[in-house]
């Protein structure tokens, strides 16, 4: 089988790029090991797909080259993708921090992308395993479970290693390494933390409780919700921080991010001085959380009025500078993204082509560009795919 352009991966980046190239008149074939296209899209955002964000900026991306993503993000931005969504009359709404979600189902985004591919006559080879890629005189020879494909150009849109249950593999990295293209070491990102056993025994009964916090390490802080789980800690604040966390590093949790000591916390204690500390603090924190903190000896079992001014400050410090060393993360099984990937130093920021192999391209999550939680990774998929497709003009 011969084709002009082969795209490996029927995820967000691969589908969008295929549609753009097909409609330019190119002969495009998409291969994927799954039964259906867009599996990760369907799972995203609780089935509602957080397809972009109103505040797209390079500062929301992690990469060894923080400037790499700027060109693609500026050439195809959130408003461009929103325009496409509007053309398909897909209803959506804004959540916190500029996040845009489908009103109904993530399937609408997949259907839109598939429709764009159909307009361009894109060919599909689903449930097709890619085993090897070789360079031949006029391009590439792909050895697959469905036979050999010869292609002039090859676009790798295989995603990362997160959510292995959806069939994600390391094939994209292996192809890069085969062609001597460096790969930045990969690890799970936007992922819950696990906890060491003594602390987990105290906190796991709180599973399901969420509360607003500010979490930080030495590099960065995030002010969003924390969720207690049976394995440890999750929620938006924790997922965001996990992408910047290194094993063996403490994290600091501020349980009272909106309660300054002098203007709010101290007056609360004064007002409830005849109550137990437990009942007083249960006005600002979930009661079960307060009880757990007492188990951890962070809150004394005494009356408010028994605290002297110094002890009041010590209590406030304990609640706003709670230090925990996570045991680790839940890994790729529950991670939303993969950090690291194909080195951007080896790629053109304008076309996504490998500098050493002009007809070989990498787009989306397989590259060393990782967005924050909130639609940034989907926008990178759209933007990098657009930049790649423009290279064929």
């Amino acid at each position: 089988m011969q084709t002009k352009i082969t795209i490996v991966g029927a995820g967000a980046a691969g589908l969008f790029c295929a549609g753009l190239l097909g409609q330019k008149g190119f002969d495009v074939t998409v291969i994927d090991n799954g039964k259906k296209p867009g599996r990760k899209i369907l799972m995203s955002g609780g089935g509602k797909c957080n397809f972009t964000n109103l505040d797209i900026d390079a500062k929301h991306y992690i990469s060894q080259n923080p400037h790499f993503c700027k060109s693609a993000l500026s050439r195809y931005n959130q408003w461009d993708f929103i325009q496409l969504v509007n053309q398909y009359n897909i209803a959506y709404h804004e959540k916190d921090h500029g996040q845009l979600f489908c009103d109904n189902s993530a399937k609408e985004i997949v259907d839109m992308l598939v429709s764009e591919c159909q307009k361009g006559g894109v060919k599909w080879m689903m449930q097709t395993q890619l085993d090897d890629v070789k360079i031949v005189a006029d391009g590439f020879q792909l050895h697959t479970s469905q036979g050999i494909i010869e292609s002039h150009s090859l676009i790798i849109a295989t995603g990362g290693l997160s959510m292995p249950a959806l069939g994600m593999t390391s094939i994209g990295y292996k192809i890069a390494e085969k062609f001597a293209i460096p790969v930045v070491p990969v690890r799970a990102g936007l992922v819950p933390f696990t906890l060491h056993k003594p602390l987990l025994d105290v906190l796991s009964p709180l599973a399901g409780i969420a509360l607003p916090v500010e979490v930080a390490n030495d590099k960065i802080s995030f002010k969003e919700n924390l969720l207690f789980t049976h394995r440890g800690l999750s929620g938006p604040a924790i997922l965001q921080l996990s992408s910047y966390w290194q094993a063996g590093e403490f994290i600091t949790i501020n349980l009272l991010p909106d309660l300054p000591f002098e203007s709010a916390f101290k007056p609360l204690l004064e007002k409830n001085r005849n109550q137990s500390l437990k009942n007083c603090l249960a006005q600002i924190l979930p009661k079960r959380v307060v009880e757990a903190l007492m188990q951890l000896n962070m809150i004394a079992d005494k009356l408010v009025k028994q605290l002297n001014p110094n002890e009041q400050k010590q209590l406030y410090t304990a609640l706003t500078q709670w230090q925990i060393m996570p045991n680790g993360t839940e890994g790729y099984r529950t991670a939303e993204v993969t950090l690291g990937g194909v080195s951007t130093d080896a790629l053109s920021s304008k076309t996504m082509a490998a500098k050493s192999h002009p007809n070989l391209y990498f787009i989306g999550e397989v590259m060393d560009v990782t967005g924050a939680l909130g639609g940034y990774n989907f926008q990178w998929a759209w933007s990098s795919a657009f930049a790649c497709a423009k290279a064929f003009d």
Side-chain angles (χ1 to χ4, degrees):
M1 178 183 176
Q2 285 201 333
T3 182
K4 174 78 174 175
I5 303 169
T6 301
I7 298 177
V8 185
L15 289 175
F16 189 52
C17 195
L20 291 170
L21 288 169
Q23 290 180 52
K24 290 176 191 281
F26 289 101
D27 181 7
V28 180
T29 300
V30 176
I31 71 170
D32 192 278
N33 61 3
K35 286 184 181 179
K36 294 180 180 179
R39 288 167 295 165
K40 196 170 176 184
I41 300 173
L42 293 171
M43 294 277 290
S44 68
K48 299 283 189 181
C49 186
N50 179 192
F51 56 83
T52 192
N53 194 292
L54 295 177
D55 177 30
I56 296 296
D57 189 281
K59 69 184 178 185
H60 298 296
Y61 292 86
I62 302 171
S63 173
Q64 284 198 349
N65 177 358
H67 302 291
F68 181 86
C69 65
K70 290 179 179 178
S71 172
L73 291 173
S74 66
R75 289 162 65 210
Y76 190 88
N77 60 34
Q78 65 273 38
W79 308 110
D80 296 314
F81 192 76
I82 290 167
Q83 186 177 10
L84 180 62
V85 169
N86 288 335
Q87 283 174 23
Y88 278 80
N89 296 312
I90 297 172
Y92 60 88
H93 57 278
E94 180 186 349
K95 281 195 175 179
D96 297 341
H97 311 291
Q99 302 170 22
L100 298 188
F101 288 81
C102 296
D103 283 358
N104 299 311
S105 168
K107 187 175 181 296
E108 292 178 301
I109 298 293
V110 176
D111 289 347
M112 176 188 78
L113 295 170
V114 169
S115 177
E116 288 290 293
C117 287
Q118 288 169 343
K119 286 180 187 176
V122 172
K123 302 181 187 74
W124 303 89
M125 291 180 66
M126 302 304 292
Q127 293 182 281
T128 301
Q129 201 80 33
L130 177 60
D131 299 317
D132 194 16
V133 177
K134 294 179 179 176
I135 292 181
V136 292
D138 55 351
F140 301 91
Q141 191 180 74
L142 282 67
H143 294 251
T144 80
S145 57
Q146 303 292 325
I148 290 176
I149 301 171
E150 292 190 353
S151 184
H152 178 263
S153 298
L154 180 59
I155 300 171
I156 306 301
T158 48
L161 298 176
S162 52
M163 300 187 185
L166 296 180
M168 304 303 164
T169 72
S170 59
I171 186 66
Y173 310 130
K174 288 176 181 173
I175 291 169
E177 288 169 343
K178 181 182 177 73
F179 294 113
I181 297 168
V183 175
V184 176
V186 296
R187 63 186 177 92
L190 298 180
V191 61
F193 286 136
T194 57
L195 298 175
H196 294 284
K197 186 164 171 49
L199 182 58
L200 183 61
D201 288 343
V202 177
L203 298 184
S204 60
L206 304 178
I209 294 177
L211 69 164
V213 300
E214 185 167 7
V215 297
N217 63 1
D218 290 340
K219 305 178 199 73
I220 198 164
S221 67
F222 294 97
K223 190 176 174 183
E224 290 192 62
N225 272 7
L226 174 149
L227 174 70
F228 293 98
T229 73
H230 291 294
R231 296 185 186 88
L233 303 174
S234 187
I238 294 296
L239 296 183
Q240 297 278 37
L241 188 66
S242 71
S243 293
Y244 296 87
W245 178 80
Q246 299 291 336
E249 185 179 60
F250 279 98
I251 66 169
T252 301
I253 303 173
N254 179 353
L255 295 168
L256 308 174
D258 298 313
L259 260 76
F261 180 77
E262 288 294 340
S263 61
F265 189 73
K266 193 174 172 185
L268 176 78
L269 297 181
E270 291 297 327
K271 184 180 175 184
N272 299 281
R273 59 188 318 275
N274 291 318
Q275 283 193 5
S276 66
L277 260 181
K278 175 181 170 181
N279 288 340
C280 174
L281 295 175
Q283 296 177 47
I284 53 173
L285 291 169
K287 187 179 178 184
R288 284 166 58 200
V289 172
V290 174
E291 290 169 348
L293 297 175
M294 290 181 75
Q295 272 185 267
L296 296 170
N297 297 316
M298 290 169 60
I299 298 172
D301 184 11
K302 56 170 68 174
L303 296 175
V304 174
K305 63 185 177 185
Q306 292 177 283
L307 295 182
N308 62 40
N310 195 40
E311 289 171 326
Q312 288 182 2
K313 285 189 175 176
Q314 287 174 351
L315 172 62
Y316 186 76
T317 298
L319 297 175
T320 57
Q321 296 179 32
W322 182 18
Q323 288 212 310
I324 289 176
M325 183 183 287
N327 184 32
T329 74
E330 290 190 9
Y332 292 119
R333 186 182 64 82
T334 56
E336 297 203 16
V337 293
T338 304
L339 293 156
V342 177
S343 174
T344 56
D345 289 343
L347 306 175
S348 161
S349 62
K350 186 179 179 186
T351 66
M352 306 296 138
K355 292 175 181 176
S356 56
H357 297 83
N359 295 319
L360 176 62
Y361 302 80
F362 293 86
I363 57 175
E365 192 185 342
V366 72
M367 307 157 70
D368 175 35
V369 177
T370 306
L373 188 71
Y376 297 101
N377 289 292
F378 274 126
Q379 185 58 49
W380 176 245
W382 320 136
S383 298
S384 59
F386 179 86
C388 176
K390 285 293 283 183
F392 289 80
D393 286 356

